[in-house]
Amino acid sequence: MPYQHDVINGFHIATAEMPHMESVSAGFFLPVGSRHERGALNGIAHFAEHMIFKGTPTRDALDLALQIEGVGGAINAFTTEDQTCLETRGPAELLPQFLEVMSDMLWHSTCPADEVERERDVIAEEIVMYQETPGDHLHDLLSESIWTNHPLGKPITGTEASILGIRSEDILKFMQESYRAEGVTLAVAGNIKHVEVCELARKFLPQENTPALPFTSFLHNAISASHIHDQRDIEQTHLALAFHTEGRHSEQRHILRMLSLLMGETMCSRLFQELREKRGLCYHIASDFSLYDDTGTFEIHAGLDAGRLTESIAAIREIITDICTSGFTEAELSQAKAYASGQSRIALETPQAQMSWMGDSIVSFGKIIDPKEARETLESTTLEELLTLSKALFLPENIASASIGPQTTESISLELSKLFAAPTPETALNS
């Protein structure tokens, strides 16, 4: 896919021309998220994302919806720890209208106080919804466990208490400081031409940007294992383990990606085969990783039979121990590489996927990462690199965990202490 990338008035413009498509996907990627929040304003990045849908001087909330959805398009937005994104997709000829409406939302939202009060109630219900869904709430607990006393450890939505302190003027100030920041990216993919997108960008984007919001770096110090448990009267135990890693700029990120594939992202992976297929201990078991500018995590998530928790933790321990001593096989690595390459190619077939790839690449790395080069780097991973990373990663002083289930905090902590006991890389989690 031929990508094009320009900078106009300090903003990044990225396109992927796909003339065989009838549609277009466009996204504004803003380099601001929950980790940029200050003081007690936890949840303001997410609150601001909600408020851009509530009206501008020339459009109310219904007008905004009608001028996208009412002409055949779709619009959505999301907030992460370090990004906010507003995206649309629809018939290609509607791109000028989409960009005009999106620009109005981002840079002219009024955030009236009465709308803020109504949306506060909506966000409070969203928070309750996440808390009542163990799989979702577990993510927040794990973040708090591994990023203790740091903005990364706070929920993206904020808490019911923190959103009470957010006012209209706070949101407007946050938008003014961050929505024009250096690094803001417009990514467009589909049946468009780069030169036409650049012309629209000059018409609709602000004339100048502001400095990017700073964030507090995370410095990991080896400490005793951290664990947070939410005791609930449910039949399953939801368990998550997280290990500190280097950030997205690490030269090891491709090795980490391959490790996650081999451990728990596919039906061929070690965790899936051992815990689900061979022992029937769970329905859900998976691994994943998250990378930020300065730090990251490698994670294992499982929904376990509460009555077989001891057996499940022992099985996870056995797998990690084997990986840290014997590593993986050439056959496993070859299969994982083929899967990664195939899924990467499939995933980027749509305009929306291409748009997301470009936007995330520029906000994260300042340039568009060539997917082919990314696949080639991933395919260069060796068994020796995987073994070295595993030994450095799976250490008791490098782990945090969270759980939701019927056990008491004391009983589940005792079970997990068996997993955390190893003192050295050579015997990681195997004492």
Side-chain angles (χ1 to χ4, degrees), residues 8-11 107 179-182 205-210:
I8 298 175
N9 298 332
F11 298 98
W107 295 298
Y179 277 23
R180 301 168 185 255
E182 180 182 4
L205 269 67
Q207 295 302 303
E208 59 183 14
N209 60 15
T210 59

Side-chain angles (χ1 to χ4, degrees), residues 146-147 241-265 269 271 286-292 294-300 323 328 333 336-337 340 365 374 377-394 398:
I146 197 165
W147 313 117
L241 310 175
F243 301 84
H244 287 279
T245 71
E246 297 179 356
R248 63 167 62 102
H249 303 290
S250 169
E251 294 182 356
Q252 294 185 326
R253 68 178 184 272
H254 67 286
I255 310 171
L256 192 69
R257 168 69 172 135
M258 188 58 65
L259 178 63
S260 182
L261 278 168
L262 287 160
M263 282 197 68
E265 288 192 29
S269 63
L271 289 167
S287 60
D288 198 1
F289 67 101
S290 299
L291 299 179
Y292 307 104
D294 53 334
T295 186
T297 65
F298 179 89
E299 302 174 9
I300 297 172
I323 289 170
F328 297 96
L333 183 55
K337 288 179 178 179
F365 299 100
T377 300
L378 193 62
E379 289 169 2
S380 72
T381 307
T382 67
L383 292 173
E384 291 74 19
E385 289 174 328
L386 286 163
L387 183 59
T388 299
L389 178 61
S390 298
K391 289 182 176 181
L393 191 65
F394 298 123
N398 195 40

Side-chain angles (χ1 to χ4, degrees), residues 299-374:
E299 302 174 9
I300 297 172
H301 297 259
L304 306 166
D305 181 339
R308 302 178 72 184
L309 180 63
T310 300
E311 187 180 352
S312 300
I313 290 176
I316 294 172
R317 173 177 171 169
E318 288 175 18
I319 292 168
I320 293 177
T321 299
D322 187 52
I323 289 170
C324 289
T325 52
S326 302
F328 297 96
T329 66
E330 286 284 3
E332 286 177 303
L333 183 55
S334 177
Q335 290 165 0
K337 288 179 178 179
Y339 178 86
S341 178
Q343 292 300 304
S344 172
R345 293 162 63 189
I346 293 170
L348 290 173
E349 287 186 334
T350 67
Q352 185 174 16
Q354 289 287 349
M355 176 268 292
S356 297
W357 177 270
M358 293 185 294
D360 184 67
S361 291
I362 294 175
V363 171
S364 299
F365 299 100
K367 63 180 181 180
I368 301 175
I369 303 297
D370 188 321
K372 183 178 179 180
E373 292 181 6

